[in-house]
Each structure stands twice: as structure tokens, then as C-alpha cells.
């Protein structure tokens, strides 16, 4: 039995009737940008994340860019972030003209090491972008303390972790702003690109709304040089339909993760480590193994999808060469990039499929 790494079509089938009805309604409404569905989704997800304001935009990457701009980050500023994440966690910093400053990760959670952040603080540090990687919240308490003490802003990259909790608080509500993505592989997704930004500050929310519409508050009157970055009504309609199922899907992901982790206990497979005070939402289920590439080949030869997140840490990307990092600068991230492997974890996986993945892993190590 083949087990694909992702199966987006099977999720579509599970909500097909409602989705197709919603899509047709938008098509017939003639209102495609900044309409009632976008506003309804902002309201719904603001409640879910437990913040007063949510601002939709065109992608998770744009959510990060708009957030940096809304917080006044620009040329001459430094922004501290993790060396181990999806590319746009760092590209957003460079795209607003600021300098990314990388910090290594905690080997247990793959999330940014707060002690490393403290060491990299400088007079030019404007913000820190922690990523809640794979669906597990980053260690936020020390970062929030640093923010309070030094006045640096916190932008949560929650693109993989909508619905995760840190010490009883939902991610996206802890920093100055929180960013999510509706890219099709995320836990809550559209049928294309989309994103959203959460904040408790009315002033930041207002700047974000202006920045997503060319920096205008009143049409054709531009107080800032902004972007064209809106969440369109088709995407908002799709995400609204799926949002009803997010909790159910999240619990399925968590149950799938539990099944794998119990199986791997005491074996050569390093299961993910959950901090005791978080709700991990498992956008990815990532194992750590010494012989990663051989295992990956074995699983693929048996028709089992798996993937590497991420094979090259951010500080070693060619586009950041001029920042001066070299191999060895971030040893924990570099080691993780050679040893981690993501297994299928999506909520639509059947028990049979999970069993198949488990059997192939066990047989590889036997
Ligand atoms: C997906 C993702 C993004 C970017 O989101 P897009 O909607 O694809 O632009 C940013 N950061 C992380 C950690 C992500 O996983």
C-alpha cells in the first residue's frame, strides 16, 4: 500500500460539497477582494487565537513582511531569528532592508534557543522572530522577558502552528504580532496562497490594514509605501469552511503522532520531544535518525512518502553568504538538517496507512 506524504485531494473530498457551494457563492457575488468573507474569517480566527485584531493578507511570507514594516523595521536594523526554518522566516527580514541575525536551536525541539538570542542582542536589534516549528511552540517566556527589558519587538512565525498553545495561551497571541499561512500544506489551508496577522494593538492593526493596501488609509492618499497583499474572497471562503474542522483535524494529527511516538519508544528512531506545557499541533511529525538518507530511500522505495525539513539551514543559504556565517557557525541546526525526516501525519491518514509506515520503519531497523 502506498502512503503519500501529503494527500490534499482527500481533504478536499471530505468537505467538497460545502467548499464548492462557498466557491460558487463568491463567484456569483461579484465581490472578490476585501469583502464579507475575509472580514468573517478575520473575526473567527481572532477569536480562536484570542486577540482583538486579525488582518488577512496574501501569504504567510507577506504576513511577516507586513509585520516587520508595521513595527517600523527597516535598513540599519537587525532582526534575530532561528537558523532552522522555512526560508521566508529570514527572507522577510532582508526584503525590508534589515539584517537577519541567526541563532542556533534547542536540539530537543528544533526551536530557537533563547539563550542564544540574549547573546546576539545589540543596539541595532529591533525585533526577534521565533518560529513555532513543526507545530510546537517556541520557548516564549524568556523571549517575552527580553522584549520587556530591552524593548525589542516579538513577531511570532506561527505559520506551522495555528491552534498550538504555550502555557495555556494560544500562539499568535503572545508576541507583538503573530503570523499564519494558509498555504495548502498548513493545518488550516486555502486553495492557493493566503495569510493572516494577529495583534492586540489597535495601532499596529491599523498600520497593517493600510500596508496591505499600498499604504493608503484613504484611497489614493498614501502615508506609507505599502504593498498589494490582500486575502481574496475565494481563499477566505475556502478557509472559513475548513476552519469549522480545524480542531477535529488537529486532534487527529495529535492522535497520529501519539501512535508513532509510542511505537518508537526505546528504538533507534528519535521521536519528537513535546515540552510538557505546550499543545503541539503537528504540522509535521519529524523523527531524528543517524542514517537518515538511507532510511528515506528505503521508505520511498516502499511507496511511503517522507520529506526533509530542512536540508540546508538558513545561515548556509547562498543568498546570505555576505552575512559571514560558515559551516560550523550553527552546529545544532547543521546536525538536525542531516538527521531529521518528516513522516506522513495528516488527519486523513487511515489506521492501515499508519500501520504500513510503522511496519516499514520497524523492518528497516531489524
Ligand atoms: C509556510 C511558512 C511560511 C510562509 O508561508 P507562505 O504562505 O508559504 O508564504 C513562513 N514560515 C514558516 C515557518 C512556514 O512554514
Amino acid at each position: 500500500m502506498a502512503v503519500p506524504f501529503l494527500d490534499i485531494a482527500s481533504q478536499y473530498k471530505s468537505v467538497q460539497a460545502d467548499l464548492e457551494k462557498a466557491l460558487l457563492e463568491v463567484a456569483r457575488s461579484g465581490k472578490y477582494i476585501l469583502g464579507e468573507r475575509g472580514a468573517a474569517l478575520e473575526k473567527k480566527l481572532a477569536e480562536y487565537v484570542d486577540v482583538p485584531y486579525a488582518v488577512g493578507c496574501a501569504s504567510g511570507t507577506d504576513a511577516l513582511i507586513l509585520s516587520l514594516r508595521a513595527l517600523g523595521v527597516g535598513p540599519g536594523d537587525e532582526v534575530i531569528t532561528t537558523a532552522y526554518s522555512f526560508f521566508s522566516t529570514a527572507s522577510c527580514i532582508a526584503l525590508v532592508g534589515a539584517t537577519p541575525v541567526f541563532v542556533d536551536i534547542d536540539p530537543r525541539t528544533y526551536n530557537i534557543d533563547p539563550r542564544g538570542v540574549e547573546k546576539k542582542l545589540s543596539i541595532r536589534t529591533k525585533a526577534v522572530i521565533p518560529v513555532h516549528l513543526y507545530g510546537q511552540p517556541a520557548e516564549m517566556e524568556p523571549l517575552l522577558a527580553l522584549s520587556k527589558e530591552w524593548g525589542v519587538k516579538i513577531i511570532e512565525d506561527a505559520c506551522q502552528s495555528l491552534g498550538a498553545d504555550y502555557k495555556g495561551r494560544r500562539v499568535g497571541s503572545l508576541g507583538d504580532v503573530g503570523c499564519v499561512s494558509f498555504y495548502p500544506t498548513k493545518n488550516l489551508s486555502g486553495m492557493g496562497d493566503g495569510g493572516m496577522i494577529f495583534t492586540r494593538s489597535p495601532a499596529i492593526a491599523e498600520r497593517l490594514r493600510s500596508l496591505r493596501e499600498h499604504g493608503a488609509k484613504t484611497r489614493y492618499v498614501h502615508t506609507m509605501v505599502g504593498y498589494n497583499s490582500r486575502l481574496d474572497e475565494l481563499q477566505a471562503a475556502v478557509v472559513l469552511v475548513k476552519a469549522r474542522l480545524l480542531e477535529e483535524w488537529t486532534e487527529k494529527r495529535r492522535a497520529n503522532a501519539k501512535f508513532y511516538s509510542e511505537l518508537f519508544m526505546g528504538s533507534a528512531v528519535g521521536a519528537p520531544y513535546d515540552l510538557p506545557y505546550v499543545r503541539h499541533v503537528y504540522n509535521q511529525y519529524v523523527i531524528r535518525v543517524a542514517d537518515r538518507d538511507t532510511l528515506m530511500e528505503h521508505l520511498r522505495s516502499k511507496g511511503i512518502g517522507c520529506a526533509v525539513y530542512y536540508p540546508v539551514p538558513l545561515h548556509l543559504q547562498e543568498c546570505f553568504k555576505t552575512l559571514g556565517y560558515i559551516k560550523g557557525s550553527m552546529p545544532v541546526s547543521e546536525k538536525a538538517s542531516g538527521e531529521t525526516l518528516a513522516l506522513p501525519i495528516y488527519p486523513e491518514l487511515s489506521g492501515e496507512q499508519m500501520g504500513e509506515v510503522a511496519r516499514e520503519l520497524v523492518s528497516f531497523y531489524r
Side-chain angles (χ1 to χ4, degrees):
M1 185 199 335
V3 185
F5 181 66
L6 280 165
D7 191 356
I8 289 165
S10 83
Q11 185 182 79
Y12 181 71
K13 273 188 227 130
S14 74
V15 276
Q16 185 168 355
D18 286 350
L19 277 183
E20 289 178 359
K21 182 166 166 276
L23 287 169
L24 260 184
E25 275 170 16
V26 175
R28 289 170 177 162
S29 74
K31 175 84 181 150
Y32 302 140
I33 302 265
L34 294 182
E36 63 190 58
R37 288 162 190 86
L41 184 65
E42 286 173 346
K43 184 162 178 287
K44 188 175 182 100
L45 293 185
E47 275 166 21
Y48 183 70
V49 170
D50 195 21
V51 291
Y53 306 100
V55 180
C57 64
S59 69
T61 304
D62 277 8
L64 292 163
I65 293 170
L66 293 169
S67 295
L68 286 163
R69 287 287 311 278
L71 293 170
V73 178
D77 297 329
E78 290 176 357
V79 178
I80 299 175
T81 194
T82 171
Y84 196 61
S85 180
F86 179 64
F87 181 63
S88 46
T89 303
S91 68
C92 63
I93 301 167
L95 285 167
V96 303
T99 305
V101 175
F102 294 114
V103 164
D104 213 349
I105 53 171
D106 179 331
R108 298 171 309 168
T109 61
Y110 309 106
N111 277 324
I112 195 166
D113 178 358
R115 286 163 307 179
V117 174
E118 188 161 14
K119 284 190 202 130
K120 294 283 179 81
L121 278 177
S122 86
I123 194 93
R124 288 180 296 279
T125 309
K126 249 314 195 2
V128 180
I129 307 182
V131 181
H132 309 303
L133 198 70
Y134 306 144
Q136 165 142 264
E139 193 59 91
M140 290 299 289
E141 224 159 51
L143 297 182
L144 296 171
L146 284 179
S147 161
K148 218 171 190 180
E149 189 175 355
W150 299 101
V152 297
K153 304 294 183 192
I154 305 284
I155 298 170
E156 296 177 72
D157 181 341
C159 287
Q160 298 181 4
S161 55
L162 182 60
D165 294 327
Y166 175 83
K167 300 192 175 176
R169 293 165 70 192
R170 195 133 279 180
V171 302
S173 73
L174 295 136
D176 294 275
V177 294
C179 300
V180 298
S181 160
F182 305 123
Y183 184 75
T185 62
K186 311 297 185 185
N187 288 18
L188 178 62
S189 64
M191 289 167 63
D193 283 308
M196 198 167 277
I197 308 145
F198 302 100
T199 182
R200 273 170 279 108
S201 157
I204 293 172
E206 193 181 298
R207 277 203 294 281
L208 289 167
R209 285 184 198 285
S210 167
L211 280 165
R212 74 175 171 181
E213 274 216 282
H214 307 287
K217 251 180 239 166
T218 315
R219 203 166 235 200
Y220 306 127
V221 183
H222 300 270
T223 50
M224 294 178 279
V225 181
Y227 304 81
N228 174 355
S229 182
R230 282 118 10 166
L231 179 66
D232 66 65
E233 287 288 284
L234 276 172
Q235 296 308 331
V238 170
V239 178
L240 259 177
V241 167
K242 292 193 190 180
R244 297 200 286 263
L245 289 154
L246 179 59
E247 275 300 304
E248 187 185 319
W249 287 340
T250 300
E251 284 308 318
K252 286 227 176 92
R253 285 177 183 274
R254 286 168 52 77
N256 291 350
K258 192 159 173 269
F259 171 86
Y260 282 140
S261 289
E262 279 170 5
L263 183 83
F264 299 149
M265 229 181 270
S267 79
V269 179
Y273 170 80
D274 284 27
L275 291 168
Y277 39 80
V278 304
R279 181 193 196 211
H280 192 325
V281 296
Y282 284 101
N283 179 243
Q284 300 296 350
Y285 182 91
V286 175
I287 58 171
R288 188 194 277 269
V289 287
D291 39 8
R292 194 263 318 274
D293 292 343
T294 338
L295 173 63
M296 182 160 64
E297 253 171 59
H298 170 79
L299 291 177
R300 286 187 175 161
S301 75
K302 301 288 178 182
I304 291 170
C306 50
V308 177
Y309 297 98
Y310 296 89
V312 183
L314 296 171
H315 67 289
L316 297 179
Q317 294 291 345
E318 189 175 338
C319 61
F320 294 134
K321 222 184 203 157
T322 53
L323 297 175
Y325 297 93
I326 51 165
K327 241 193 182 127
S329 299
M330 308 277 149
V332 187
S333 300
E334 290 163 32
K335 190 159 189 282
S337 69
E339 293 181 345
T340 50
L341 187 65
L343 303 178
I345 191 70
Y346 45 94
E348 296 79 15
L349 275 177
S350 68
E352 262 182 319
Q353 288 176 307
M354 299 270 310
E356 181 78 4
V357 179
R359 258 191 307 282
E360 286 307 334
L361 267 152
V362 169
S363 89
F364 178 80
Y365 282 104
R366 207 173 266 142

